[in-house]
Amino acid sequence: MCFPVPALLTLDPLTANAHLILSGDGTEVKVGEKQEDIPDNPERFSRWLSVLASEGYTSGRHSWEVDVGDSTVWQLGVAKASVPRKRGFAPFHWQESRKFFTPEPQAGVWALALQDGDYTALTSPPIELQVKNKLRRLGVFLDYSEGQVSFYNADDVSHLYTFKDTFTEAIYPYFYIAHKGDTLKLISLGL
């Protein structure tokens, strides 16, 4: 698989859940205490410990890598610009508004996850992945026009999973982290 030069990404503080702390340079996210002075703007994830990158894509081929280190619960991938950011999908119907956001392609998220030591592709239903060694660095490759999001182990460039879909709006790198002490860091290759 031939990847384009890795994108230089930063995390968008306007989308970050209020419990997430971003580094000053916007390349690292961790879970902290709720930040009191952050407004609940429309872009912000209010119930899900997620953040998007500042850069979105409507064409082309893009790749990036994330150092997941020893983080124990995470989700990484892409999300469409209109991904639900608040409590539920349908605020006009009380039963639907009680449901929590589920990260899957139907909701506009194409991602891999680590939880309880298991790696999964967040399809509906999720697909458990057979990963030989603990992932330390995860690579993401987006081919917008082909509608593909591929994931690979960035340490040995082994393929993990590919989503195939049709994109009709801007797609943003997507990050979710759940445990205090865990950190996700965008890798810059110094190019």
Side-chain angles (χ1 to χ4, degrees):
M1 192 177 287
C2 182
F3 302 111
V5 172
L8 295 175
L9 298 177
T10 56
L11 302 171
D12 184 354
L14 294 177
T15 66
N17 178 284
H19 291 278
L20 297 179
I21 297 172
L22 305 184
S23 63
D25 64 0
T27 62
E28 211 170 306
V29 59
K30 63 183 178 178
V31 180
E33 299 299 327
K34 185 171 183 178
Q35 300 175 26
E36 298 299 325
D37 297 334
I38 295 180
D40 186 17
N41 57 20
E43 301 90 358
R44 188 170 314 286
F45 286 93
S46 63
R47 300 288 292 197
W48 206 246
L49 295 172
S50 299
V51 60
L52 299 178
S54 297
E55 300 78 10
Y57 305 107
T58 56
S59 65
R61 301 168 80 194
H62 310 275
S63 70
W64 57 94
E65 294 181 2
V66 181
D67 182 345
V68 299
D70 291 320
S71 297
T72 55
V73 178
W74 50 257
Q75 298 170 4
L76 294 169
V78 299
K80 64 183 182 179
S82 63
V83 67
R85 318 264 176 117
K86 305 304 177 187
R87 183 174 176 149
F89 292 108
F92 305 109
H93 190 278
W94 73 271
Q95 288 177 326
E96 287 296 312
S97 68
R98 294 176 61 195
K99 291 182 181 176
F100 290 104
F101 165 66
T102 302
E104 60 189 11
Q106 294 85 340
V109 175
W110 297 265
L112 294 192
L114 171 63
Q115 185 164 344
D116 299 326
D118 295 323
Y119 297 97
T120 56
L122 296 178
T123 57
S124 184
I127 297 172
E128 188 171 339
L129 303 175
Q130 300 303 312
V131 177
K132 291 181 182 179
N133 299 314
K134 178 179 170 71
L135 291 175
R136 309 283 300 168
R137 293 178 15 173
L138 183 72
V140 183
F141 171 66
L142 168 67
D143 187 330
Y144 189 96
S145 61
E146 292 295 319
Q148 290 185 355
V149 183
S150 296
F151 297 87
Y152 59 95
N153 180 336
D155 287 325
D156 63 12
V157 197
S158 59
H159 178 259
L160 299 169
Y161 190 80
T162 297
F163 288 90
K164 180 84 171 135
D165 215 323
T166 301
F167 303 130
T168 58
E169 60 183 274
I171 298 294
Y172 289 82
Y174 167 83
F175 308 84
Y176 166 89
I177 189 166
H179 285 163
K180 286 186 181 178
D182 286 357
T183 301
L184 299 176
K185 181 171 178 47
L186 290 162
I187 296 172
S188 170
L189 301 180
L191 301 174

